[in-house]
């Protein structure tokens, strides 16, 4: 049995776009609580935060959650074909909200569908491909009329007598714009979400670049320092800010493999230039010792690799 991508929107507001346009961040705590109800026996792993409209669609074993005032969005994979009217109560009751929207797509079968529930009652559901209707529940809504009237024909002409007068995927996007006030497009409104894995994979650790002045472990200026010096010589200004971090984003070496001093204050306490060089020498020595210890452990564990 295959699966499709389903995006649920739980609305308790008449202007769903407002909290997102206002810049409200998604609430990760709410997402965690939601997942503890959905997967009580699973340890979920964070995949990070990113905009839903500019990310790849959710894959098997993944779920994306965004929570804002009056609005929650959940994107996940659902087993089976796209039949919006048959959506499980698990998803319809996941978040208490008067309005629930569903947008579903199955790229393999080229089927797109959408549905709307008000106070638990199905108001409209449609799903289809370019050459067939999978389901058509409820009366077409006003935003659908131009599509059924043939004002948005298929991009490619077809001789198939069963072809619809529109692309169901285009109608899905029209429903998105009418019901939410925006569309999920890469260049459109950014919808921040938190991604999680439910299939046992390890959590992705967020990388934070080291701060402070850098010293290459071989005891000579490294590429980042040479790059900064060249910019200063060309009159392009300093590349570091007051904390010693690289302020100029154009440097391709700002996060290279350097040993970084703990802080400028620590260097000053070392006692002038002599103390600073002794501190630097100590850092280089520590790096060499760490490398030697690592090599020794590997040899004791069964030879070099």
């Amino acid at each position: 049995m295959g699966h499709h991508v389903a995006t649920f929107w739980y609305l308790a507001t008449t202007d769903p776009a407002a909290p997102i346009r206002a810049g409200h961040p998604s609430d990760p705590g709410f997402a965690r609580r939601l997942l503890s109800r959905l997967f009580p026996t699973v340890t979920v792993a964070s995949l990070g935060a990113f905009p839903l409209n500019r990310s790849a669609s959710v894959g098997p074993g993944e779920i994306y959650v965004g929570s804002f005032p009056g609005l929650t969005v959940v994107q996940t994979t659902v087993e089976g074909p796209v039949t919006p009217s048959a959506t499980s109560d698990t998803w319809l009751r996941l978040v208490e909200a008067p309005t629930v929207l569903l947008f579903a797509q199955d790229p393999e079968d080229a089927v797109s569908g959408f549905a709307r529930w008000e106070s638990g009652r199905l108001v409209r559901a449609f799903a289809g491909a370019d050459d067939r209707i999978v389901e058509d529940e409820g009366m077409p809504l006003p935003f659908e009329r131009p599509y059924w009237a043939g004002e948005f024909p298929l991009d490619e002409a077809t001789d198939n007598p069963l072809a619809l007068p529109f692309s169901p995927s285009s109608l899905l996007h029209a429903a998105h714009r009418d019901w939410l006030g925006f569309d999920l497009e890469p260049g459109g409104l950014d919808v921040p979400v938190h991604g999680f894995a439910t299939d046992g994979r390890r959590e992705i650790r967020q990388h934070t670049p080291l701060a402070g002045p850098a010293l290459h472990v071989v005891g000579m200026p490294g590429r980042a320092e040479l790059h900064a010096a060249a910019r200063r010589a060309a009159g392009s200004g300093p590349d570091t800010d007051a904390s010693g971090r690289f302020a100029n984003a154009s440097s391709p070496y700002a996060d290279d493999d350097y040993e970084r001093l703990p802080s400028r204050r620590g260097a000053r306490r070392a006692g002038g230039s002599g103390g600073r060089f002794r501190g630097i020498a100590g850092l280089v020595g520590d790096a060499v010792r760490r490398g030697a210890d690592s090599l020794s452990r590997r040899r004791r564990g069964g030879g070099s690799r």
Side-chain angles (χ1 to χ4, degrees):
M1 181 182 294
H3 63 270
H4 63 274
V5 175
T7 307
F8 296 92
W9 297 81
Y10 304 89
L11 308 182
T13 175
T14 57
D15 188 1
I20 300 175
R21 288 200 174 100
H24 284 284
S26 176
D27 182 358
F30 179 87
R32 289 279 188 179
R33 292 191 296 273
L34 202 66
L35 295 180
S36 68
R37 291 167 47 198
L38 271 175
F39 309 101
T41 62
V42 175
T43 300
V44 298
S46 173
L47 299 177
F50 41 82
L52 181 63
N53 56 304
R54 290 191 281 122
S55 70
S57 295
V58 67
E62 298 176 351
I63 185 169
Y64 302 162
V65 182
S67 179
F68 314 91
L71 168 68
T72 298
V73 56
V74 175
Q75 185 176 96
T76 188
T77 56
V78 175
E79 296 293 333
V82 176
T83 51
S85 65
T87 299
S88 167
D89 283 348
T90 299
W91 297 111
L92 297 181
R93 298 178 180 177
L94 182 62
V95 177
E96 186 175 348
T99 301
V100 179
L101 310 178
L102 165 63
F103 303 95
Q105 289 185 296
D106 186 342
E108 290 189 6
D109 290 341
V111 174
S112 300
F114 56 86
R116 183 184 184 104
W117 291 263
E118 296 285 356
S119 301
R121 181 180 66 88
L122 179 65
V123 175
R124 176 67 171 134
F126 174 83
D130 290 352
D131 59 353
R132 67 190 186 279
I133 293 177
V134 175
E135 71 171 12
D136 187 9
E137 300 286 337
M139 294 295 295
L141 299 175
F143 74 88
E144 300 181 52
R145 290 172 186 165
Y147 291 85
W148 290 102
E151 297 181 21
F152 298 96
L154 296 173
D155 293 336
E156 298 181 2
T158 177
D159 296 329
N160 188 344
L162 300 178
L164 299 180
F166 57 86
S167 169
S169 64
S170 296
L171 187 59
L172 179 149
H173 287 284
H176 210 286
R177 291 188 296 270
D178 187 78
W179 291 346
L180 293 172
F182 61 93
D183 201 358
L184 277 182
E185 297 177 334
L189 184 64
D190 279 356
V191 180
V193 296
H194 290 85
F196 300 90
T198 61
D199 54 8
R201 76 185 73 171
R202 298 181 63 180
E203 186 156 308
I204 296 177
R205 299 296 180 182
Q206 299 301 314
H207 174 65
T208 303
L210 296 173
L215 173 75
H216 199 270
V217 294
V218 299
M220 65 180 64
R223 291 178 295 177
E225 280 67 41
L226 294 174
H227 178 84
R231 288 186 57 82
R232 285 193 295 270
S236 300
D239 276 76
T240 56
D241 57 21
S243 67
R245 298 180 67 92
F246 284 90
N248 193 310
S250 66
S251 173
Y253 310 119
D255 189 26
D256 217 332
D257 52 342
Y258 295 91
E259 290 292 322
R260 294 194 176 270
L261 298 177
S263 68
R264 292 176 182 269
R265 185 186 308 169
R268 284 196 298 269
R269 281 203 302 264
S273 59
R276 185 163 68 91
F277 286 123
R278 285 193 297 273
I280 291 173
L283 285 171
V284 174
D286 289 344
V288 173
R289 282 192 294 275
R290 284 198 297 272
D293 290 344
S294 176
L295 180 59
S296 177
R297 284 195 298 272
R298 272 197 263 174
R299 285 176 174 170
R300 288 199 302 271
S304 59
R305 299 176 184 174

